[in-house]
Amino acid sequence: MSQSEKQSEATEEANSTSKGPNWKPILAALLILIIGFAAGFTISSSQQVRAKDTHEYRQLERQYNQVKSDLHASQEELDSTKDRLKDAQDDLKDERKDNAKATKEQTEAEQDAARDAAKQAEKTAKEERKAAEKAAKEKQKAAEKAAKEERKAAERAERENRRAQAPSDAQLNELDVVSGGTFCTNEGAQGVSDRSSRRILTCKMASDGNLRWKD
C-alpha cells in the first residue's frame, strides 16, 4: 500500500471517530438476537402445543377406545340378555302350554273319574236296592212262613190243650147247658154249650160291659 492510501484510510478513520460510534453492526446484532429469541420461543411454544395436543389426543383416543370397547361389551351383553330373555319367554310359553295341557288332561281325567264313580255308585246302589228288596222279600216270606208255622203250632197246641183239658162226659153232665153269648150272672162260672160241639163256656165280661157266656 502506498503512502497516500495509508494516509487516506487514516483520514477516514479519524473522520468516523470524530462523528461517533457506528450503530449498524449493533442494531444488526440486536435484530439477529431478537429474531433468534422469537424464533426459539415460537419453536418452543409450537413444540409445547404439539406436545399438549398429542397428549390430549392420545388421552381422548384412549377414552374413545375405552368407550367403544365398553359399548361393544354392553352391546354383546345386551344381545346376550335379549337372547336369554327370548329363551326364557319361549320356555315360559312352552311351560304355560304344558301346564294348560296338563290341567286340561287332569280336568278330563277327574271328570271321567267322577262319571265312572257316579256310574259305579249308581250301579252299587241299584244292586244294594235289589239285594235289600230280595232280602226283605225273603225275610217277609220267612216271617210269613214262621208266623204260619207258629199259628199251626198254636192251633195244634190249642187242640192238644183242649183235648187235654176236655172234660169227661161225667164232668159235662155235671155242668149246666148254656147258650153262647147269652147273659150270665156268676163271673167265672162254667157251662156246656148247647150246640153239638158241647164246648165249655165261661161267664166273662163282654165288650158291652155285661157278663156273657163265652169261650
Side-chain angles (χ1 to χ4, degrees), residues 11-96:
T11 303
E12 291 178 356
E13 290 176 359
N15 291 332
S16 62
T17 304
S18 62
K19 291 180 181 179
N22 190 1
W23 295 100
K24 290 182 178 180
I26 296 172
L27 293 174
L30 290 173
L31 182 61
I32 292 170
L33 181 62
I34 292 171
I35 292 171
F37 179 78
F41 179 77
T42 303
I43 292 171
S44 176
S45 299
S46 177
Q47 289 176 351
Q48 289 178 359
V49 170
R50 286 197 299 272
K52 183 178 180 181
D53 292 342
T54 301
H55 176 71
E56 291 179 355
Y57 174 79
R58 289 179 179 175
Q59 187 176 3
L60 291 173
E61 186 178 17
R62 284 195 299 271
Q63 292 178 356
Y64 171 77
N65 291 332
Q66 183 64 37
V67 171
K68 184 178 180 181
S69 177
D70 294 341
L71 181 61
H72 181 70
S74 299
Q75 185 64 39
E76 290 182 348
E77 185 177 358
L78 178 61
D79 293 338
S80 177
T81 303
K82 287 172 64 177
D83 292 338
R84 292 197 301 271
L85 178 61
K86 186 176 183 301
D87 293 339
Q89 289 175 344
D90 293 338
D91 293 339
L92 180 60
K93 187 176 180 181
D94 294 338
E95 184 178 358
R96 287 178 178 175

Side-chain angles (χ1 to χ4, degrees), residues 76-132:
E76 290 182 348
E77 185 177 358
L78 178 61
D79 293 338
S80 177
T81 303
K82 287 172 64 177
D83 292 338
R84 292 197 301 271
L85 178 61
K86 186 176 183 301
D87 293 339
Q89 289 175 344
D90 293 338
D91 293 339
L92 180 60
K93 187 176 180 181
D94 294 338
E95 184 178 358
R96 287 178 178 175
K97 287 182 178 179
D98 294 339
N99 291 337
K101 183 179 179 181
T103 302
K104 183 179 179 182
E105 292 177 351
Q106 183 179 1
T107 302
E108 291 177 351
E110 291 177 353
Q111 291 176 351
D112 293 339
R115 284 194 295 268
D116 293 341
K119 290 180 180 179
Q120 184 63 34
E122 184 178 0
K123 181 180 179 181
T124 302
K126 188 176 181 179
E127 292 176 352
E128 289 178 352
R129 284 195 301 271
K130 288 183 178 179

Side-chain angles (χ1 to χ4, degrees), residues 111-179:
Q111 291 176 351
D112 293 339
R115 284 194 295 268
D116 293 341
K119 290 180 180 179
Q120 184 63 34
E122 184 178 0
K123 181 180 179 181
T124 302
K126 188 176 181 179
E127 292 176 352
E128 289 178 352
R129 284 195 301 271
K130 288 183 178 179
E133 291 174 357
K134 184 178 180 181
K137 289 179 180 179
E138 291 177 353
K139 186 176 181 180
Q140 184 178 0
K141 289 180 180 179
E144 291 176 353
K145 183 178 180 181
K148 187 176 181 180
E149 291 178 353
E150 287 178 359
R151 286 195 299 271
K152 289 181 179 180
E155 290 175 357
R156 286 196 299 269
E158 185 178 359
R159 287 195 298 270
E160 291 175 357
N161 187 30
R162 286 180 179 178
R163 282 196 298 269
Q165 295 180 357
S168 61
D169 292 338
Q171 291 175 338
L172 290 176
N173 292 330
E174 293 178 357
L175 297 175
D176 295 332
V177 177
V178 296
S179 297

